[in-house]
Amino acid sequence: MSAPARILLSGEGRAGFVLLLLFALLALTAPLVFPGDPLAITAPPLLTPFTDGAHPLGADRLGRDIAAELAWGARTTLLVALASALASLVLGTVIGTLAGFLGGWVDDVLMRISDAFQTVPAFLLAMALISITGPSLPAIVLAIAAGAWPQPARIARAEIRSLRERDFVAAARVAGMHPLAIAFREILPNALTPVISLAAIIAAAAVLIEAALSFLGFGDPNRPSWGSMVAEGRAMLRSAPSLSLIPGLALVLIVLAIHLLGRGYAKALRVREPVA
């Protein structure tokens, strides 16, 4: 049985998969269910949830449809989570592979760079980079990835160092393969499993960092974001608590879903095929 299939064997894996699937469906169907500009004013201001079939979750103080913002915000959240995790894993894996395989001064330089990035909290680093580049979705993804790559880099380095003296590596050297080809084609595929296991942690952190950036006004102003929705409703927590509670609950659920799926993946790695 493949690892993705074994994830569903655990209760955590199934729960996380179902929750993430629901959020993915919400994001994918947003243009069909809520066509047009999700930030357009389409309803009376502060419309109470479940009182109008056309706007089931009500409207904010400007008259924007909460349901439309929530659905389109799911696209932003999932895109940032997936892109940030992918970018940080790719960057960290490449740097960790080079450091672990080449060793020497290359290892020292790359690990000192990693140490420099790790001394700055990921959120503060992201906020500083966004302040320089300006708020946009690609800038947010790169800013989050810049703070997340050192961890996969260190794990990849440790795995590569433990594998580089194996017999299959020596055989590849004898066969005349280029050192980089040996590192990335022969060793790296055997070292990817623990690196990939970090994807859930990085994606969950990316969701929270993007929401925090949007909450503070550093998000992309042209895209709906759950963080900006929470910020919009904070001034009306007493009179209209749903403005912040609905997107806040969505953030809790998607982080929980990623965490559960990550636990399911960790359990799947410990499952061994039965011996025939």
Side-chain angles (χ1 to χ4, degrees), residues 19-235:
L19 276 175
L20 273 182
L21 182 61
L22 292 176
F23 279 113
L25 289 175
L26 177 66
L28 291 173
T29 59
L32 301 176
V33 180
F34 303 101
D37 184 2
L39 299 178
I41 297 175
T42 59
L46 296 178
L47 180 66
T48 305
F50 311 116
T51 58
D52 187 341
H55 310 283
L57 296 182
D60 62 11
R61 59 181 178 177
L62 297 179
R64 297 176 295 195
D65 189 350
I66 296 296
E69 286 190 88
L70 192 72
W72 283 85
R75 296 171 69 88
T76 302
T77 297
L78 288 175
L79 181 59
V80 168
L82 292 174
S84 299
L86 180 61
S88 59
L89 288 177
V90 170
L91 179 61
T93 300
V94 170
I95 291 176
T97 299
L98 293 175
F101 185 76
L102 298 177
W105 67 269
V106 175
D107 185 18
D108 291 338
V109 170
L110 292 178
M111 288 302 98
R112 296 298 78 74
I113 295 174
S114 173
D115 291 341
F117 274 87
Q118 284 189 305
T119 58
V120 183
F123 175 70
L124 294 181
L125 178 61
M127 190 164 59
L129 292 176
I130 294 299
S131 300
I132 296 171
T133 62
S136 67
L137 200 62
I140 291 172
V141 169
L142 293 176
I144 295 174
W149 70 265
Q151 191 173 4
R154 289 191 170 277
I155 291 181
R157 170 181 177 268
E159 290 294 316
I160 295 296
R161 286 172 65 90
S162 69
L163 293 171
R164 67 181 182 180
E165 302 302 330
R166 298 286 180 88
D167 291 341
F168 71 92
V169 178
R173 288 195 179 101
V174 171
M177 289 185 64
H178 191 278
L180 292 181
I182 296 174
F184 288 97
R185 290 174 53 187
E186 300 296 326
I187 303 179
L188 181 57
N190 296 288
L192 280 178
T193 299
V195 177
I196 294 175
S197 65
L198 291 174
I201 298 174
I202 296 173
V207 169
L208 296 176
I209 291 174
E210 187 278 329
L213 289 172
S214 297
F215 182 86
L216 296 175
F218 289 91
D220 190 335
N222 300 315
R223 288 177 175 268
S225 169
W226 293 345
S228 61
M229 292 174 68
V230 173
E232 179 69 24
R234 63 181 169 175

